[in-house]
Amino acid sequence: MSYADPSLEALLQRLLTQYQPRYTEGKVANYIPALAQVAPAQAGVAIATLDGKVSGAGAFEQQFSLQSVSKIFALVMAMNRLDDELWQRVNMEPSGQPFNSIVQLEWEKGIPRNPVINAGAILVSDVLVSHYSASKSAFLSFIRRLAQTDQIYADQQVYQSELEHGNRNAALAYLMKSFGNIEAEVPLVLAQYFHQCATAISCAELSRALLFLANRGVQPGTQAQICSRRDAHRVNAILSTSGMYDQSGEFAFKVGLPAKSGVGGAIVAIVPQFGVITAWSPPLNRFGNSVVAMQLITAIAEELGLSLF
Amino acid sequence: MSYADPSLEALLQRLLTQYQPRYTEGKVANYIPALAQVAPAQAGVAIATLDGKVSGAGAFEQQFSLQSVSKIFALVMAMNRLDDELWQRVNMEPSGQPFNSIVQLEWEKGIPRNPVINAGAILVSDVLVSHYSASKSAFLSFIRRLAQTDQIYADQQVYQSELEHGNRNAALAYLMKSFGNIEAEVPLVLAQYFHQCATAISCAELSRALLFLANRGVQPGTQAQICSRRDAHRVNAILSTSGMYDQSGEFAFKVGLPAKSGVGGAIVAIVPQFGVITAWSPPLNRFGNSVVAMQLITAIAEELGLSLF
Amino acid sequence: MSYADPSLEALLQRLLTQYQPRYTEGKVANYIPALAQVAPAQAGVAIATLDGKVSGAGAFEQQFSLQSVSKIFALVMAMNRLDDELWQRVNMEPSGQPFNSIVQLEWEKGIPRNPVINAGAILVSDVLVSHYSASKSAFLSFIRRLAQTDQIYADQQVYQSELEHGNRNAALAYLMKSFGNIEAEVPLVLAQYFHQCATAISCAELSRALLFLANRGVQPGTQAQICSRRDAHRVNAILSTSGMYDQSGEFAFKVGLPAKSGVGGAIVAIVPQFGVITAWSPPLNRFGNSVVAMQLITAIAEELGLSLF
Amino acid sequence: MSYADPSLEALLQRLLTQYQPRYTEGKVANYIPALAQVAPAQAGVAIATLDGKVSGAGAFEQQFSLQSVSKIFALVMAMNRLDDELWQRVNMEPSGQPFNSIVQLEWEKGIPRNPVINAGAILVSDVLVSHYSASKSAFLSFIRRLAQTDQIYADQQVYQSELEHGNRNAALAYLMKSFGNIEAEVPLVLAQYFHQCATAISCAELSRALLFLANRGVQPGTQAQICSRRDAHRVNAILSTSGMYDQSGEFAFKVGLPAKSGVGGAIVAIVPQFGVITAWSPPLNRFGNSVVAMQLITAIAEELGLSLF
């Protein structure tokens, strides 16, 4: 474990004490049984900075379900295999629709609006299945390498639960396949997608794993070039317009940072040239974003003056 | 006129020489006759910096039609009169639809997605009509004060042309009124809206006028607080997710700055803590964004390393 | 007044006694004040047969607001002036959408789905304004001639009320005008449309007025050819797929006759080679169709075996 | 084989000679290879009347692919097992959308607009799978019994071809399942659906098989009650508003009979109290309806005065 920054720790502790009780304002995701069982009264927050320090408060080392935040890792893996071809199969525009809308996908002839809505992420999973051998374990290896730990794993109970309740995502995948925009067999693509979503990870691990996006594609410490500077920029741009479901505009308004949330209760925010903040608490607001994580990140960005605008 | 920065001027001159010939890739806006008459082979670019300098190249002092860039000024004026009430009448989310789509407005019960699509800007014009006396001249005074010149005016020929071809905007306005979201009489609101669009302004004037958005709401020089720091941040956030029509995501991807374009051929980009870039050239791409202005701003942001991400 | 058929009268009286108390299941139209004032506990029913007899029960001679049933008369007038040109400006397909949906109109580039949804009827009013001199009185003369009475008139209070609350219809009209599908000035078109809707008429008058549609275009008695046999057929076909708002399919299912309803509480059903049934009672179901009129017409069609299928 | 009516035969022969050459105006369905191979220059037409006679002209005894006309038989089978429950799972309203639109299905929460669009027919197949044992052969037995011949079969090449190109229908099925409106496993439901579509049948067989719909549910000859009088009426009502894809309104306009078409090139029209007309020719117009079959049925209805209106 790396060193922590005492003043950041104090800040995180203070804000957690202030906001954690507000988890009662939201509802834990219940679309799959495995997520519905998670206890609501939990929260954690961690900041990894470019100097390699990780500071946290609350349950910041407890693992939760990565869910849609996994879309970032899969996207970077797909960008590392396909270049412009990827952007002919998926757009990079905000969707202006609920996150799993099939309507827009039909209008736009099977081309998803962007790679972080469900349809786009399923397409990205198709790229992984088609362009990586052993694509499930390749995904897990990638995220473990980034987080520098082998503790991260795919939660089999969550994975099975996703598979059993994935009819809407199956509809999205078959619709794209009917437009010729999915290469592999749909069941393989969905298995890859749900496997990614089922990743178990902690705030500390997730913050560290995404540091390369705050550092122009380079992993601090190892100095490995995880993706090109240009692609790191691109991912941040997509997250800033589309990462927070149908609350992306409001998040830009209030926080002003590229971010991604998942129905497991995590929100991760990238602060270019500074670091990565992850907050987690299971209860969600009506947009599917964690109530407490949203408040924590808003407060941190305000106190530290992190807004890009 | 203020002083210019010689090295910026040299950069702008070089890029203009490089990109200006590409105006043939686009088409001048033809939805109103007054705009269709504008000669295509023109371009200008200007950067105003927080130190008060304005550097330009090409036709940077020639006036053009402000069109949708006027939405920024009207929005700031509306924010200065209404607080949270404004955000109950208009959302702040990207639209994911062509810029004047009436479909989305009906789905969302007369609440526009954001204040820089047409429906949202018409709603903002309603706020000006209802909350400013002599709202047309109040708008003109505001923009003159910001640009520190009386040379800016409303082009009567453009204004009349807009009025005669404004049936689609009338449809948007009456639809919002049917949902109770327009206070004033629709013809007054449309007159205000078209009057704003018809503003004649130059690259130099426009860059200077928007400096307060790059400076936390404060006009450099006069130190006047044009809007709150919070509202300056908000405007930049909205522009970053929604300012470039259905190319907003791609612009974030390529440039990474809050920006707004208009069918008169202008694109303005806000660079927080640095200044404002305006590029202008009439021919537009299929999204309604100026081909040459897009290329100029992309190149400037890249050469100066201005991306926020 | 013409003679009545005693056995039909007895049937109508019996059914009215049975169904009239069920008016409490619906709600009087309240989108304009002038209609909201109508007392709910009223009902009337009349059948005009091709032999010239009119049989009625209840308030069958009391006048009510014609509202959307006026679309039939206006359509016949428009068909008498334009031939195939009309069907290039309006389709003849069921809409599959709530009756005043602006979404579909935008998708289909300003061409309404059929002439009995609001957009289509506004287009028909544009034809009347553009192709009849004194089009308002021409409409009234037409309907008086058909009903053979001068007691029919335009209710000025309803007309004014419609005008004041007609913003949604104005949106439809301006949207069609933006696509070049409205010839006259929009305010004139809306005045014509609302004037038609505001017609005051009784069940007896309405049944008699529409007999030509049950008689291949010929008015019984006078033997005047009101429209071609082909056009009478066409109107009946449109009414059978689209006359009952989003309950048209269910009505075909239950009744099996061309019909049209209006928010004034009337439903008129055409029985080819037999006659015309009009039932009226103000309270409406959630589709905008009169609860009691629906039940009366269903029961009459069943008892007399009138279904076409 | 039953006797023919010489005057009907002469009429059919004359019209076939007149219209058959117009097959060049359309294009054979090419969405599956097995259909794309069918020779275009073919046509047949047959009328079965309630007296048991079948008159035909051209290739009226040649078998073709039943495709969407199969929806009628499946619907009757489903109505014979479920009563009102069926109509809580599928509506009976015209769709106003292209025949396989997924948009409308999402808007209406997985409830198809009617049982003869693809989504509705897939739901009906789910009912057959869930409520009949050996549902594939039950379907084939039903249609053989109705046509009184064992010559009708499921074309395995067409069936396989459908399965391989059925991604869009899979998307519809999974979307309905995500809303809880499909009981069986999706692959079983799709197999049932495609099996029905792949039925090989001739004009003469099809006309005879559907006579019960022109005879209040009773099969002429055997006098077997195939479905209730009420359900026969219902099926005809649905066909009259929705049987001809997005040309249903125009068909009511021109022909005025309940009808159903399939992309195999068949159109069948029910004439209550008279009989059933089937015309077939492979090339389709842009709505998916056979060009020559449409012209044949229009002409027959006109010459024999069959319109219901």
Side-chain angles (χ1 to χ4, degrees), chain D residues 232-297:
Chain D
H233 177 166
R234 279 181 169 173
V235 173
N236 290 341
I238 288 171
L239 297 184
S240 75
T241 62
S242 312
M244 297 294 290
Y245 303 132
D246 208 24
Q247 215 173 4
S248 296
E250 188 181 334
F251 192 84
F253 213 85
K254 285 189 178 161
V255 179
L257 291 172
K260 184 76 205 81
S261 85
V263 294
I267 300 178
V268 61
I270 313 296
V271 193
Q273 322 314 330
F274 173 78
V276 174
I277 314 167
T278 302
W280 166 71
S281 175
L284 310 178
N285 66 18
R286 67 189 174 96
F287 297 102
N289 295 319
S290 164
V291 170
V292 169
M294 190 91 169
Q295 288 164 332
L296 285 169
I297 287 186

Coordinates of all heavy atoms in Angstrom, one line a residue, chain D residues 232-297:
Chain D
A232 N -64.1 -14.1 -34.9 CA -63.9 -14.0 -36.4 C -64.1 -12.5 -36.7 O -63.3 -11.9 -37.5 CB -65.0 -14.8 -37.1
H233 N -65.1 -11.9 -36.1 CA -65.3 -10.4 -36.3 C -64.0 -9.6 -35.8 O -63.6 -8.8 -36.5 CB -66.5 -10.0 -35.4 CG -66.8 -8.6 -35.4 ND1 -68.0 -8.1 -34.9 CD2 -66.1 -7.5 -35.8 CE1 -68.0 -6.8 -35.0 NE2 -66.9 -6.4 -35.6
R234 N -63.5 -10.0 -34.7 CA -62.3 -9.3 -34.2 C -61.1 -9.4 -35.1 O -60.4 -8.4 -35.4 CB -61.9 -9.9 -32.8 CG -62.7 -9.5 -31.7 CD -62.2 -10.1 -30.4 NE -62.8 -9.4 -29.3 CZ -62.6 -9.8 -28.0 NH1 -61.9 -10.9 -27.7 NH2 -63.2 -9.2 -27.0
V235 N -60.9 -10.6 -35.6 CA -59.7 -10.8 -36.5 C -59.9 -9.9 -37.8 O -59.0 -9.2 -38.2 CB -59.6 -12.3 -36.9 CG1 -58.5 -12.4 -38.0 CG2 -59.2 -13.1 -35.7
N236 N -61.2 -9.9 -38.3 CA -61.4 -9.1 -39.5 C -61.2 -7.6 -39.2 O -60.7 -6.8 -40.0 CB -62.9 -9.3 -40.0 CG -63.0 -10.7 -40.6 OD1 -62.1 -11.3 -41.0 ND2 -64.3 -11.1 -40.8
A237 N -61.6 -7.2 -38.0 CA -61.4 -5.8 -37.6 C -60.0 -5.4 -37.6 O -59.5 -4.4 -38.1 CB -62.1 -5.5 -36.3
I238 N -59.2 -6.3 -36.9 CA -57.7 -6.0 -36.9 C -57.1 -6.0 -38.3 O -56.3 -5.1 -38.6 CB -57.0 -7.1 -36.0 CG1 -57.4 -6.9 -34.5 CG2 -55.5 -7.0 -36.2 CD1 -57.0 -8.0 -33.6
L239 N -57.5 -6.9 -39.1 CA -56.9 -6.9 -40.5 C -57.3 -5.6 -41.2 O -56.6 -5.1 -42.0 CB -57.4 -8.1 -41.2 CG -57.0 -9.5 -40.7 CD1 -57.4 -10.6 -41.6 CD2 -55.5 -9.6 -40.5
S240 N -58.5 -5.1 -41.0 CA -59.0 -4.0 -41.7 C -58.2 -2.7 -41.3 O -58.0 -1.8 -42.1 CB -60.5 -3.8 -41.6 OG -60.8 -3.2 -40.3
T241 N -57.8 -2.6 -40.1 CA -57.0 -1.4 -39.7 C -55.5 -1.6 -39.8 O -54.8 -0.6 -39.9 CB -57.3 -0.9 -38.3 OG1 -56.9 -2.0 -37.3 CG2 -58.8 -0.6 -38.0
S242 N -55.0 -2.8 -39.8 CA -53.6 -3.0 -39.6 C -53.0 -4.1 -40.5 O -51.8 -4.5 -40.3 CB -53.3 -3.4 -38.1 OG -53.9 -2.5 -37.3
G243 N -53.7 -4.7 -41.4 CA -53.2 -5.9 -42.1 C -52.2 -5.7 -43.2 O -51.5 -6.6 -43.6
M244 N -52.2 -4.4 -43.7 CA -51.4 -4.2 -44.9 C -50.2 -3.3 -44.6 O -49.9 -2.4 -45.4 CB -52.3 -3.5 -46.0 CG -53.4 -4.4 -46.4 SD -52.8 -5.9 -47.3 CE -52.2 -5.2 -48.8
Y245 N -49.5 -3.5 -43.5 CA -48.3 -2.7 -43.1 C -48.7 -1.2 -43.1 O -49.8 -0.9 -42.7 CB -47.1 -3.0 -44.0 CG -46.7 -4.4 -44.0 CD1 -46.5 -5.1 -45.2 CD2 -46.6 -5.2 -42.9 CE1 -46.1 -6.4 -45.3 CE2 -46.2 -6.5 -42.9 CZ -46.0 -7.1 -44.1 OH -45.6 -8.4 -44.2
D246 N -47.8 -0.4 -43.6 CA -48.1 1.1 -43.5 C -48.9 1.5 -44.8 O -48.8 2.7 -45.1 CB -46.8 1.9 -43.4 CG -47.0 3.2 -42.7 OD1 -48.0 3.3 -41.9 OD2 -46.2 4.1 -42.9
Q247 N -49.5 0.6 -45.4 CA -50.4 0.9 -46.5 C -51.9 0.5 -46.1 O -52.7 0.4 -47.0 CB -49.9 0.2 -47.8 CG -50.1 0.9 -49.1 CD -49.5 0.2 -50.2 OE1 -49.0 -0.9 -50.1 NE2 -49.6 0.9 -51.4
S248 N -52.1 0.3 -44.9 CA -53.4 -0.2 -44.4 C -54.5 0.8 -44.7 O -55.6 0.4 -45.1 CB -53.4 -0.6 -42.9 OG -52.5 -1.6 -42.7
G249 N -54.2 2.1 -44.4 CA -55.2 3.1 -44.7 C -55.5 3.2 -46.2 O -56.7 3.3 -46.6
E250 N -54.5 3.2 -47.0 CA -54.7 3.3 -48.4 C -55.5 2.1 -48.9 O -56.3 2.3 -49.8 CB -53.3 3.4 -49.1 CG -53.4 3.7 -50.6 CD -52.0 3.8 -51.2 OE1 -51.0 4.0 -50.5 OE2 -51.9 3.5 -52.4
F251 N -55.2 1.0 -48.4 CA -55.9 -0.3 -48.8 C -57.4 -0.1 -48.5 O -58.3 -0.5 -49.3 CB -55.3 -1.5 -48.2 CG -55.8 -2.8 -48.8 CD1 -55.2 -3.3 -49.9 CD2 -56.8 -3.5 -48.2 CE1 -55.6 -4.5 -50.5 CE2 -57.2 -4.7 -48.7 CZ -56.6 -5.2 -49.9
A252 N -57.7 0.3 -47.3 CA -59.1 0.5 -46.9 C -59.8 1.5 -47.8 O -60.9 1.3 -48.3 CB -59.2 1.1 -45.4
F253 N -59.1 2.5 -48.2 CA -59.5 3.6 -49.1 C -59.8 3.0 -50.5 O -60.8 3.3 -51.1 CB -58.2 4.4 -49.3 CG -58.4 5.9 -49.5 CD1 -58.6 6.7 -48.5 CD2 -58.4 6.4 -50.8 CE1 -58.8 8.1 -48.7 CE2 -58.5 7.7 -51.0 CZ -58.7 8.6 -50.0
K254 N -58.9 2.1 -51.0 CA -59.0 1.6 -52.4 C -59.9 0.4 -52.5 O -60.5 0.1 -53.5 CB -57.6 1.3 -52.9 CG -56.8 2.5 -53.3 CD -55.6 2.1 -54.1 CE -54.7 3.2 -54.5 NZ -53.4 2.8 -54.8
V255 N -59.8 -0.5 -51.4 CA -60.4 -1.8 -51.5 C -61.6 -1.9 -50.5 O -62.6 -2.4 -50.9 CB -59.4 -2.9 -51.3 CG1 -60.0 -4.3 -51.4 CG2 -58.2 -2.8 -52.3
G256 N -61.3 -1.5 -49.3 CA -62.4 -1.6 -48.3 C -62.7 -3.0 -47.8 O -63.9 -3.3 -47.5
L257 N -61.6 -3.8 -47.6 CA -61.8 -5.2 -47.1 C -60.7 -5.5 -46.1 O -59.6 -5.1 -46.2 CB -61.7 -6.2 -48.3 CG -62.9 -6.3 -49.3 CD1 -62.5 -7.2 -50.4 CD2 -64.2 -6.7 -48.7
P258 N -61.0 -6.4 -45.1 CA -60.0 -6.9 -44.2 C -59.0 -7.7 -45.0 O -59.4 -8.5 -45.9 CB -60.7 -7.8 -43.2 CG -62.2 -7.5 -43.4 CD -62.4 -6.9 -44.8
A259 N -57.7 -7.5 -44.8 CA -56.7 -8.2 -45.7 C -55.4 -8.3 -44.9 O -55.2 -7.6 -43.9 CB -56.5 -7.4 -47.0
K260 N -54.6 -9.2 -45.4 CA -53.3 -9.4 -44.8 C -52.3 -9.7 -46.0 O -52.6 -10.5 -46.8 CB -53.2 -10.5 -43.8 CG -51.9 -10.7 -43.1 CD -51.7 -9.7 -42.0 CE -50.2 -9.5 -41.7 NZ -49.5 -8.6 -42.6
S261 N -51.1 -9.1 -45.9 CA -50.1 -9.4 -46.9 C -48.9 -10.0 -46.2 O -48.7 -9.9 -45.0 CB -49.8 -8.1 -47.7 OG -48.8 -7.4 -47.0
G262 N -48.1 -10.7 -47.1 CA -46.8 -11.2 -46.6 C -45.7 -11.0 -47.6 O -46.0 -10.8 -48.8
V263 N -44.5 -10.9 -47.1 CA -43.4 -10.6 -48.0 C -43.1 -11.8 -49.0 O -42.2 -11.6 -49.9 CB -42.1 -10.2 -47.3 CG1 -42.3 -8.9 -46.5 CG2 -41.6 -11.3 -46.4
G264 N -43.7 -12.9 -48.9 CA -43.7 -13.9 -49.9 C -44.4 -13.6 -51.1 O -44.3 -14.2 -52.2
G265 N -45.2 -12.5 -51.1 CA -45.9 -12.0 -52.2 C -47.4 -12.2 -52.2 O -48.1 -11.9 -53.2
A266 N -47.9 -12.8 -51.1 CA -49.3 -13.1 -51.1 C -50.1 -11.9 -50.4 O -49.6 -11.2 -49.5 CB -49.6 -14.3 -50.3
I267 N -51.3 -11.7 -50.9 CA -52.3 -10.8 -50.2 C -53.6 -11.6 -50.1 O -54.0 -12.1 -51.2 CB -52.5 -9.5 -50.9 CG1 -51.2 -8.7 -51.0 CG2 -53.6 -8.7 -50.1 CD1 -51.3 -7.4 -51.7
V268 N -54.2 -11.7 -48.9 CA -55.4 -12.4 -48.8 C -56.5 -11.4 -48.3 O -56.2 -10.5 -47.5 CB -55.3 -13.6 -47.8 CG1 -54.9 -13.2 -46.5 CG2 -56.6 -14.4 -47.8
A269 N -57.7 -11.4 -48.9 CA -58.7 -10.4 -48.5 C -60.0 -11.2 -48.1 O -60.3 -12.2 -48.8 CB -59.0 -9.5 -49.6
I270 N -60.5 -10.9 -47.0 CA -61.7 -11.6 -46.5 C -62.9 -10.8 -46.9 O -63.0 -9.6 -46.7 CB -61.7 -11.6 -44.9 CG1 -60.4 -12.1 -44.3 CG2 -62.9 -12.4 -44.4 CD1 -60.0 -13.5 -44.7
V271 N -63.9 -11.4 -47.5 CA -65.2 -10.8 -47.9 C -66.3 -11.4 -47.1 O -66.8 -12.5 -47.5 CB -65.4 -10.9 -49.4 CG1 -66.6 -9.9 -49.8 CG2 -64.2 -10.7 -50.2
P272 N -66.7 -10.7 -46.0 CA -67.7 -11.3 -45.1 C -69.0 -11.8 -45.9 O -69.4 -11.0 -46.8 CB -68.0 -10.2 -44.1 CG -66.8 -9.4 -44.1 CD -66.2 -9.4 -45.5
Q273 N -69.5 -12.9 -45.6 CA -70.7 -13.5 -46.2 C -70.5 -13.9 -47.7 O -71.4 -14.2 -48.4 CB -71.9 -12.6 -46.1 CG -72.1 -11.8 -44.8 CD -71.8 -12.7 -43.6 OE1 -72.1 -13.9 -43.6 NE2 -71.3 -12.1 -42.5
F274 N -69.3 -13.8 -48.2 CA -69.1 -14.1 -49.6 C -67.9 -15.1 -49.8 O -68.1 -16.2 -50.3 CB -68.7 -12.8 -50.4 CG -68.3 -13.0 -51.8 CD1 -69.3 -13.3 -52.8 CD2 -67.0 -13.0 -52.2 CE1 -68.9 -13.5 -54.1 CE2 -66.6 -13.2 -53.5 CZ -67.6 -13.5 -54.5
G275 N -66.7 -14.8 -49.3 CA -65.6 -15.7 -49.5 C -64.3 -15.1 -49.2 O -64.2 -14.1 -48.5
V276 N -63.2 -15.7 -49.8 CA -61.9 -15.2 -49.5 C -61.1 -15.1 -50.9 O -61.2 -16.1 -51.7 CB -61.1 -16.2 -48.6 CG1 -59.7 -15.8 -48.4 CG2 -61.8 -16.2 -47.2
I277 N -60.4 -14.0 -51.1 CA -59.6 -13.8 -52.3 C -58.1 -13.9 -51.9 O -57.7 -13.2 -51.0 CB -59.8 -12.5 -52.9 CG1 -61.3 -12.1 -53.0 CG2 -59.1 -12.4 -54.3 CD1 -61.6 -10.7 -53.4
T278 N -57.3 -14.7 -52.6 CA -55.9 -14.7 -52.4 C -55.2 -14.4 -53.8 O -55.5 -15.0 -54.8 CB -55.3 -16.0 -51.9 OG1 -56.0 -16.4 -50.7 CG2 -53.8 -15.9 -51.7
A279 N -54.3 -13.4 -53.8 CA -53.5 -13.1 -55.0 C -52.1 -13.2 -54.6 O -51.7 -12.9 -53.4 CB -53.8 -11.7 -55.5
W280 N -51.2 -13.7 -55.5 CA -49.8 -13.9 -55.2 C -49.0 -13.5 -56.4 O -49.2 -13.9 -57.5 CB -49.6 -15.3 -54.8 CG -48.1 -15.7 -54.8 CD1 -47.2 -15.2 -53.9 CD2 -47.4 -16.5 -55.7 NE1 -45.9 -15.7 -54.2 CE2 -46.1 -16.5 -55.4 CE3 -47.8 -17.2 -56.9 CZ2 -45.1 -17.2 -56.1 CZ3 -46.9 -17.9 -57.6 CH2 -45.5 -17.9 -57.2
S281 N -47.9 -12.8 -56.1 CA -46.9 -12.5 -57.1 C -45.7 -11.9 -56.3 O -45.9 -11.0 -55.4 CB -47.3 -11.4 -58.1 OG -46.3 -11.1 -59.0
P282 N -44.5 -12.5 -56.5 CA -43.4 -12.1 -55.6 C -42.9 -10.7 -55.5 O -42.6 -10.2 -54.4 CB -42.2 -13.0 -56.0 CG -42.9 -14.2 -56.7 CD -44.1 -13.6 -57.4
P283 N -42.9 -9.9 -56.6 CA -42.3 -8.6 -56.4 C -43.1 -7.6 -55.5 O -44.3 -7.5 -55.7 CB -42.1 -8.0 -57.8 CG -42.1 -9.3 -58.7 CD -43.1 -10.2 -58.0
L284 N -42.4 -6.9 -54.6 CA -43.1 -6.1 -53.6 C -42.9 -4.6 -53.9 O -41.8 -4.2 -54.4 CB -42.5 -6.4 -52.2 CG -42.4 -7.9 -51.8 CD1 -41.7 -8.0 -50.4 CD2 -43.8 -8.5 -51.8
N285 N -43.8 -3.8 -53.4 CA -43.6 -2.3 -53.4 C -42.8 -1.9 -52.2 O -42.4 -2.8 -51.4 CB -44.9 -1.6 -53.6 CG -45.8 -1.8 -52.4 OD1 -45.4 -2.1 -51.3 ND2 -47.1 -1.5 -52.5
R286 N -42.6 -0.6 -52.0 CA -41.7 -0.1 -50.9 C -42.4 -0.4 -49.5 O -41.7 -0.3 -48.5 CB -41.4 1.3 -51.1 CG -42.6 2.3 -51.0 CD -42.2 3.7 -51.4 NE -43.3 4.6 -51.4 CZ -43.7 5.3 -50.4 NH1 -43.0 5.4 -49.3 NH2 -44.7 6.1 -50.5
F287 N -43.7 -0.7 -49.5 CA -44.3 -1.0 -48.2 C -44.2 -2.5 -47.9 O -44.6 -2.9 -46.8 CB -45.8 -0.6 -48.2 CG -46.0 0.9 -48.4 CD1 -46.3 1.4 -49.6 CD2 -45.8 1.8 -47.4 CE1 -46.5 2.8 -49.8 CE2 -45.9 3.1 -47.5 CZ -46.3 3.6 -48.8
G288 N -43.7 -3.3 -48.8 CA -43.6 -4.7 -48.5 C -44.8 -5.5 -49.0 O -45.0 -6.7 -48.7
N289 N -45.7 -4.8 -49.8 CA -46.9 -5.5 -50.3 C -46.7 -5.8 -51.8 O -46.1 -5.0 -52.6 CB -48.1 -4.5 -50.2 CG -48.4 -4.3 -48.7 OD1 -48.4 -5.2 -47.9 ND2 -48.8 -3.0 -48.4
S290 N -47.2 -7.0 -52.2 CA -47.0 -7.4 -53.6 C -47.7 -6.4 -54.6 O -48.9 -6.1 -54.4 CB -47.6 -8.8 -53.8 OG -47.8 -9.1 -55.2
V291 N -46.9 -6.0 -55.6 CA -47.4 -5.0 -56.6 C -48.6 -5.6 -57.3 O -49.7 -5.0 -57.4 CB -46.3 -4.6 -57.5 CG1 -46.9 -3.8 -58.7 CG2 -45.2 -3.8 -56.8
V292 N -48.4 -6.8 -57.9 CA -49.5 -7.3 -58.8 C -50.7 -7.8 -57.9 O -51.8 -7.6 -58.3 CB -48.9 -8.5 -59.6 CG1 -50.0 -9.3 -60.3 CG2 -47.9 -7.9 -60.7
A293 N -50.4 -8.4 -56.8 CA -51.5 -8.9 -55.9 C -52.3 -7.8 -55.5 O -53.6 -7.9 -55.4 CB -50.9 -9.7 -54.7
M294 N -51.7 -6.6 -55.2 CA -52.5 -5.4 -54.8 C -53.4 -5.0 -55.9 O -54.6 -4.7 -55.7 CB -51.4 -4.3 -54.5 CG -52.0 -3.1 -53.9 SD -51.9 -3.3 -52.0 CE -52.3 -1.6 -51.6
Q295 N -52.8 -5.0 -57.1 CA -53.7 -4.5 -58.3 C -54.8 -5.5 -58.6 O -55.9 -5.1 -58.9 CB -52.8 -4.3 -59.5 CG -51.9 -3.1 -59.3 CD -50.7 -3.1 -60.3 OE1 -50.2 -4.1 -60.7 NE2 -50.3 -1.9 -60.6
L296 N -54.5 -6.8 -58.5 CA -55.5 -7.8 -58.7 C -56.7 -7.7 -57.7 O -57.9 -7.7 -58.1 CB -54.9 -9.2 -58.6 CG -54.0 -9.6 -59.8 CD1 -53.3 -10.9 -59.5 CD2 -54.9 -9.8 -61.1
I297 N -56.3 -7.6 -56.5 CA -57.4 -7.5 -55.4 C -58.2 -6.2 -55.6 O -59.4 -6.2 -55.4 CB -56.8 -7.7 -54.0 CG1 -56.4 -9.2 -53.9 CG2 -57.8 -7.3 -53.0 CD1 -55.9 -9.7 -52.6

